[in-house]
Amino acid sequence: MKKLVAILCVIFNFITYGKDINEIKSLIAEINEVVNLNGETKRSDYKLTYVFPDFIRKDVLSPELNKGEVYIYNKDHKIVYLPLFDQRVEEKLTGDDNEVLEVINFIFEKEKSDVEFKEKYYAKKIKEIPLKNGARVEIDKLKEFENYLLPTVYKVYDEDINIVNLKVKSYVINPKVDIKELADI
C-alpha cells in the first residue's frame, strides 16, 4: 500500500501549468509500473481513474494473470474485485489504505496554500517529493497535458531502495465519469 500512496501522490501532484487546479474534477491516467522487491521485478499496466475529492479506481490491464482486477477507494471504503476467483471484497479503509485519499487531498491543499512550492514546481525545480510514509518520489520528466504540468516518468524510493519506476503513458483531464457506474463491479 505504501507503493500505491507514493504513486498517487506523484500522479496527483498536478500543480497547474496554465490552468487552475480547481478546474480538475476528474483524471484518467494509463500507467506502466515496474516494481523491484527482494531482487525480483514485476511489471504491470493499469488505468487509474480519480474523481475529486475521494474516489479512485485502478483497473489492471496486464500481466495476463492479474488482468481485470479492480481496486476501488471510495471515501472510507475499499472494494477489490479478483476475476480469477470471481470474488468481490468490500472493507473499511484503514492505515495505509486510508492515506491514499488523504495524500491526494493534501497535495491539492499544498498547491493552493504554499506559494514557494507552487513557484518551484512551475519552474521545474522540484525533482523530489518526500512523503509522510517515509518514502520519496523522484520526478524524472514533466510534460504539459491540456495546460497542466504533470509527471510522466518517476521513481519511488523507500529510504535508499528504488521500489517502483513509473511511466505515465497518457492523461485525460476532466473526462465525464459516473462514480456510480465506476463503483459497480
Side-chain angles (χ1 to χ4, degrees):
M1 191 32 108
K2 186 184 276 191
K3 172 183 75 160
L4 183 58
V5 169
I7 292 166
L8 292 173
C9 186
V10 171
I11 289 172
F12 296 105
N13 187 23
F14 39 75
I15 308 309
T16 59
Y17 193 67
K19 291 185 179 178
D20 187 23
I21 197 167
N22 294 320
E23 295 175 20
I24 296 177
K25 301 300 180 204
S26 60
L27 178 97
I28 297 173
E30 191 170 325
I31 301 167
N32 173 262
E33 174 184 83
V34 179
V35 177
N36 305 304
L37 285 176
N38 302 323
E40 293 185 27
T41 301
K42 181 182 174 189
R43 298 176 189 280
S44 63
D45 292 297
Y46 52 89
K47 180 175 86 170
L48 194 76
T49 304
Y50 171 72
V51 180
F52 181 80
D54 52 16
F55 181 88
I56 298 167
R57 178 177 167 137
K58 176 182 174 181
D59 291 270
V60 178
L61 305 172
S62 72
E64 195 62 37
L65 178 64
N66 303 98
K67 187 175 184 174
E69 290 179 3
V70 178
Y71 301 84
I72 296 174
Y73 303 86
N74 192 1
K75 297 180 184 169
D76 61 350
H77 286 85
K78 175 182 178 181
I79 300 170
V80 177
Y81 173 68
L82 304 171
L84 184 64
F85 303 107
D86 193 26
Q87 181 181 23
R88 181 185 186 276
V89 178
E90 186 169 347
E91 55 193 43
K92 189 168 178 73
L93 286 177
T94 59
D96 285 345
D97 285 338
N98 201 29
E99 287 179 356
V100 172
L101 291 169
E102 289 176 28
V103 166
I104 293 169
N105 290 324
F106 170 79
I107 291 171
F108 274 107
E109 291 304 315
K110 186 166 180 79
E111 190 276 335
K112 289 180 201 174
S113 63
D114 188 338
V115 175
E116 182 181 348
F117 180 85
K118 189 173 183 174
E119 287 173 2
K120 285 181 179 179
Y121 190 88
Y122 288 135
K124 298 181 181 182
K125 291 183 179 178
I126 293 186
K127 296 296 181 187
E128 185 174 285
I129 299 171
L131 304 177
K132 273 176 35 176
N133 64 11
R136 63 185 168 84
V137 178
E138 279 185 9
I139 300 173
D140 284 349
K141 187 174 181 183
L142 295 165
K143 186 176 176 183
E144 186 177 336
F145 290 87
E146 300 176 38
N147 290 325
Y148 295 89
L149 186 63
L150 304 169
T152 57
V153 178
Y154 45 93
K155 299 175 183 177
V156 180
Y157 290 86
D158 188 0
E159 296 181 14
D160 289 332
I161 301 169
N162 174 230
I163 55 172
V164 180
N165 295 315
L166 295 143
K167 181 176 183 182
V168 179
K169 297 177 185 179
S170 65
Y171 283 106
V172 178
I173 300 169
N174 287 331
K176 289 190 176 203
V177 291
D178 181 348
I179 291 178
K180 288 181 183 178
E181 186 177 302
L182 288 171
D184 185 28
I185 54 172

